[in-house]
């Protein structure tokens, strides 16, 4: 999955990003209790995508497909 598509979906859900270490980006969900770390740019592996969905547990099912 492309980073820009993941980013678009995160923004559509009202998530906010903050810079992390190196090329990492921290994404905060709207409820403020869930954080996911995503690598900026390129393509994200299925593992990272699955982890992002799991970590941002309060987002509606199917928000990232
Ligand atoms: Zn949350």
């Amino acid at each position: 999955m492309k980073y820009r598509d993941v980013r678009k979906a995160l923004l559509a859900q009202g998530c906010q990003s903050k810079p992390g270490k190196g090329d990492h980006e921290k994404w905060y969900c709207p409820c403020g209790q869930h954080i996911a770390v995503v690598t900026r740019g390129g393509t994200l592996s299925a593992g990272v995508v699955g982890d992002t969905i799991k970590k941002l547990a309060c987002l509606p099912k199917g928000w990232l497909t």
Side-chain angles (χ1 to χ4, degrees), residues 3-21 23-41 44 48 51-53 55-59 63-64:
Y3 163 76
R4 65 164 182 267
D5 292 332
V6 174
R7 178 188 162 82
K8 210 190 290 177
L10 284 162
L11 290 173
Q13 294 299 324
C15 297
Q16 293 194 324
S17 66
K18 286 188 183 158
K21 269 189 187 171
D23 58 354
H24 288 160
E25 203 169 62
K26 281 185 182 174
W27 283 90
Y28 295 80
C29 67
C31 89
Q33 292 186 31
H34 304 97
I35 301 170
V37 176
V38 169
T39 312
R40 236 178 3 239
L44 305 180
V48 170
D51 196 52
T52 302
I53 293 170
K55 288 214 169 114
L56 300 177
C58 63
L59 298 183
W63 69 273
L64 185 59

